[in-house]
Each structure stands twice: as structure tokens, then as C-alpha cells.
Amino acid sequence: MSSNIHATAIKIKNKGVLFIGKSGSGKSDLSLRLIVENKAKIIADDRVIVRNIREKLIASAPINLRGLMEVRGIGIVNLDFISEAQIDLVVGLTLDKIERLPENKYYSIENLKLPFIELNPFEASASAKLLTAISLL
């Protein structure tokens, strides 16, 4: 079983991260910063195929979108990509107020529960916060 969802997925520091949020919420923007500044690799941008394979969430891009990313103000760019990877963390992107000391949260997808955090992707510290979160996994 698989789902094609509106999201962006990257691999960074050997961890897969799935960004979810409304259109224009900063999924591609934060991913691009992590690619340029921290050597992350794109798995999929805008549309992500997710599958539960042996109780692990595996993400990939639809074939026609592999390696492509929409960079607002520039257009569609080709990037080095990873064809698929396990997702270890789901990140909800929001401009709403974020709890200072949240309880552990989880996101359910494809009959799996994955660690979940919320970030404001446009904060200067968003990349650092994400790197901190994945170091704790």
C-alpha cells in the first residue's frame, strides 16, 4: 500500500525527514537551505510517495518529479537526489505559535507512528532546530 501526499522529503545526517504543511508553508524553502548549507539530499519535493515497508516509512518521488525542486522566484531546478529513503521524523511547518516545551508528539501515516515536531521554517534558527531534533532520534 502507498500514498501520494503533498509534502517534501529530504535526507540529512543519515536521517529521513518529511516536511508537511500547507502550500506556501516553507517546505521547499527550508529544504533548500538544508541542501545548500548542510549537504542534505532531496528525496521528493511537492509530491511524495510513502509506503509502509516492513514497519518502516519509505519515501520516494514520482518518477517524473525525481530530482526536481520548485524554488520560488527562480523556477524548477534539478538537484542531486536520493531515489528513496526511510523517514525518521515528520516536521509540521507552521507560522502559528509553537509550544516552548512540547510533549513528545507522533504523526500517524501508513499505519505507522513517527516522531513529530513543529517548526516555523522562516525563523533563522529553523535549520539548527531541525539538526538538533534529528540528533536526538
Side-chain angles (χ1 to χ4, degrees):
M1 185 168 127
S2 69
S3 299
N4 186 326
I5 63 171
H6 178 73
T8 296
I10 63 168
K11 188 163 186 179
I12 184 166
K13 306 282 186 190
N14 212 30
K15 300 290 184 186
V17 178
L18 183 70
F19 293 111
I20 59 173
K22 299 175 188 171
S23 183
S25 65
K27 297 178 296 293
S28 299
D29 187 278
L30 180 54
S31 295
L32 182 63
R33 279 183 275 146
L34 290 161
I35 290 165
V36 171
E37 298 168 4
N38 295 282
K39 299 181 182 173
K41 293 282 186 188
I42 191 76
I43 302 165
D45 182 49
D46 194 45
R47 301 303 312 170
V48 181
I49 297 169
V50 291
R51 303 179 317 260
N52 179 336
I53 298 179
R54 292 186 285 283
E55 299 304 308
K56 304 221 181 282
L57 188 70
I58 305 300
S60 62
I63 292 172
N64 60 332
L65 297 178
R66 286 186 178 167
L68 299 178
M69 175 180 267
E70 178 186 344
V71 179
R72 195 174 299 263
I74 295 176
I76 306 296
V77 296
N78 284 297
L79 300 169
D80 288 336
F81 69 96
I82 296 171
S83 60
E84 68 176 26
Q86 177 180 322
I87 297 299
D88 302 291
L89 177 67
V90 178
V91 179
L93 299 182
T94 183
L95 300 180
D96 294 339
K97 187 175 180 180
I98 296 171
E99 289 181 70
R100 289 180 64 187
L101 299 170
E103 298 289 322
N104 288 339
K105 295 180 183 177
Y106 297 91
Y107 188 83
S108 294
I109 185 168
E110 289 294 310
N111 296 316
L112 296 168
K113 280 177 50 175
L114 295 170
F116 175 81
I117 63 168
E118 288 185 304
L119 289 177
N120 177 332
F122 303 115
E123 286 183 345
S125 61
S127 295
K129 288 177 181 178
L130 177 72
L131 292 170
T132 300
I134 63 173
S135 75
L136 299 173
L137 294 175

